[in-house]
Amino acid sequence: MDWRSLATAAIFSCALALPAAAETLRALAQAANIRIGAAVDIPTLNKDPAYAQLLAREFNLLTPENALKFSVVHPQRDRYDFSQADALLAFAEAHHMQVNGHVLVWHQQLPDWLTQGHFSRDELKDILREHIQTLVTRYRGRIASWDVAAEAVAEDGRPRETFWSRGIGADYLALAFRWAHEADPQARLRYNDYGGEGGGAKSDGIYDLVADLRWQGVPISSVGLQMHVAIADAPRAADVRANMQRLAALGLEPDITEMDVMLKQPSNAAALRAQAGVYRDMLQACLAVAQCRSFSTWGATDRYSWIPEFFPGQGTALLFDEEYRPKPAYYSIRRALKASLP
Ligand code: G3I
């Protein structure tokens, strides 16, 4: 490329406010030796090229927002539907991105055939084992990490009573990790939860749960701190760091798996700055703990986010606005990554 085309390319990329290749989040994250991820909605990926382009440019880890959930991937007892998950894998592999499988055992998004099926304990064990091993085997060597279980701890720190705990008993979690490990011994297996990122009863409950799994020799290697927060209830960075350190001391890798920071609508410049500060603080906590291997947000652009539907009046929770323009939070993440480089 001669200087004229270089200059034209530079002007063009400025006009679109595109970061230079070396300055994208994924390039900086790679230099910092962590993964930067986003949750992705596959129907949107299939129909919105700008969304696909944004993901491929800025992230090197993708988590399917819904595509691998039980009701989507296993809609009938004897039928699986891998069309969305296969599309995600193809996209991720074409763009040299890792995929995090989400989620094998969760109490939400379960199909009626399962919840209305009146199955015995043994039948449920068979169903869950088959479900886990079908998914993990299909993507063995291609999905590097799995959220094996999610949200099994209640707000008070005690085990949450769910469809699975009632139907199988307290050992359903240990069984799920063992079955996943059998199907892909190389995959990183994670327990993933929200509301226990810093200190408090839920954080302690999660700690006790995963410590117990470790003591039993269950093949768990990571704990996901989801980090769905609002400015007012975001945990203190020092508490997140301390929590990550105690999990790391158990031999577990604590990752930030689903971060978003919801703002009351309409938001304003001050709120967007405060949001940027929360993103920066949580990323810095991750960067300060060597075992924190990835930092993922739950979506990429405010155009597509679960927040407005689930929290009416709240929104603009992600790194890019509805027109895919980087927000202050994006720049704060970028600066924090850059500052961490030698
Ligand atoms: O399946 C129907 C689809 O057929 C229909 O066209 C569509 C129309 O609205 O609704 C579809 O299902 C919705 C699905 O998202 C796909 O859009 C469900 O009603 C809706 O409940 C579901 O919400 C998801 C939610 O989990 C379910 O609890 C969100 O997208 C997803 O972001 C959210 O993600 C969870 C993580 O998995 C676990 N941690 C918390 C996080 C946020 O709740």
Side-chain angles (χ1 to χ4, degrees):
M1 211 187 245
D2 64 18
W3 69 270
R4 245 179 259 275
S5 17
L6 268 175
T8 315
I11 290 164
F12 184 64
S13 78
C14 286
L16 291 176
L18 290 183
E23 298 269 298
T24 61
L25 297 185
R26 71 178 285 174
L28 293 168
Q30 190 175 338
N33 198 27
I34 67 162
R35 292 259 163 194
I36 182 101
V40 51
D41 181 61
I42 315 308
T44 306
L45 183 71
N46 289 337
K47 64 170 194 255
D48 181 346
Y51 173 70
Q53 222 170 39
L54 174 70
L55 292 168
R57 190 182 78 223
E58 298 289 346
F59 300 94
N60 57 14
L61 171 66
L62 293 176
T63 298
E65 190 170 349
N66 290 298
L68 282 169
K69 289 177 179 169
F70 213 122
S71 61
V72 179
V73 78
H74 195 172
Q76 287 160 24
R77 185 165 186 182
D78 53 0
R79 189 170 73 83
Y80 287 84
D81 178 354
F82 290 110
S83 52
Q84 290 196 30
D86 285 353
L88 170 65
L89 265 291
F91 177 79
E93 288 169 355
H95 296 282
H96 312 289
M97 306 159 100
Q98 266 191 11
V99 172
N100 173 57
H102 174 90
V103 49
L104 297 171
V105 191
W106 193 34
H107 57 282
Q108 291 190 34
Q109 286 172 285
L110 297 174
D112 289 347
W113 70 261
L114 178 61
T115 55
Q116 315 292 314
H118 306 290
F119 295 112
S120 70
R121 174 172 191 266
D122 283 346
E123 285 172 323
L124 273 184
K125 280 173 66 179
D126 285 347
I127 288 168
L128 185 59
R129 184 179 53 237
E130 188 223 80
H131 175 82
I132 289 176
Q133 297 200 327
T134 302
L135 269 59
V136 178
T137 303
R138 181 179 181 90
Y139 297 113
R140 179 167 43 213
R142 297 174 70 199
I143 287 192
S145 61
W146 279 96
D147 294 338
V148 173
E151 303 174 13
V153 174
E155 307 313 306
D156 63 3
R158 289 205 288 237
R160 186 194 293 273
E161 204 193 301
T162 69
F163 173 79
W164 296 114
S165 69
R166 279 192 299 273
I168 296 182
D171 59 342
Y172 78 99
L173 290 169
L175 289 169
F177 279 93
R178 292 190 198 285
W179 290 329
H181 183 68
E182 265 171 36
D184 185 354
Q186 305 304 322
R188 271 176 94 220
L189 304 183
R190 177 182 297 122
Y191 174 76
N192 188 38
D193 213 331
Y194 66 88
E197 293 85 0
K202 185 156 183 184
S203 169
D204 290 346
I206 293 168
Y207 176 84
D208 291 345
L209 170 74
V210 296
D212 185 49
L213 292 173
R214 288 285 290 166
W215 290 324
Q216 290 180 52
V218 170
I220 172 174
S221 42
S222 168
V223 177
L225 310 181
Q226 292 186 9
M227 203 68 78
H228 294 289
V229 298
I231 306 270
D233 69 11
R236 292 178 46 225
D239 292 343
V240 173
R241 187 167 159 175
N243 190 32
M244 286 185 171
Q245 277 161 342
R246 71 174 174 165
L247 292 166
L250 291 174
L252 296 167
E253 295 175 330
D255 295 321
I256 292 182
T257 49
E258 304 188 8
M259 184 158 180
D260 46 26
V261 183
M262 67 171 93
L263 301 180
K264 189 169 176 318
Q265 299 302 293
S267 64
N268 55 39
L272 290 168
R273 275 198 304 277
Q275 179 184 56
V278 177
Y279 270 106
R280 178 204 54 223
D281 290 352
M282 298 308 131
L283 175 61
Q284 282 176 341
C286 172
L287 291 168
V289 177
Q291 292 84 351
C292 180
R293 308 299 308 128
S294 66
F295 180 92
S296 292
T297 53
W298 203 241
T301 152
D302 292 336
R303 185 179 287 229
Y304 311 116
S305 158
W306 70 294
I307 295 289
E309 186 192 334
F310 285 73
F311 296 92
Q314 302 280 330
T316 51
L318 293 162
L319 301 181
F320 296 88
D321 72 11
E322 298 207 356
E323 302 306 322
Y324 312 103
R325 289 177 301 232
K327 292 162 61 184
Y330 170 86
Y331 293 108
S332 73
I333 292 282
R334 200 166 82 171
R335 273 195 302 276
L337 284 170
K338 258 173 125 167
S340 76
L341 300 178

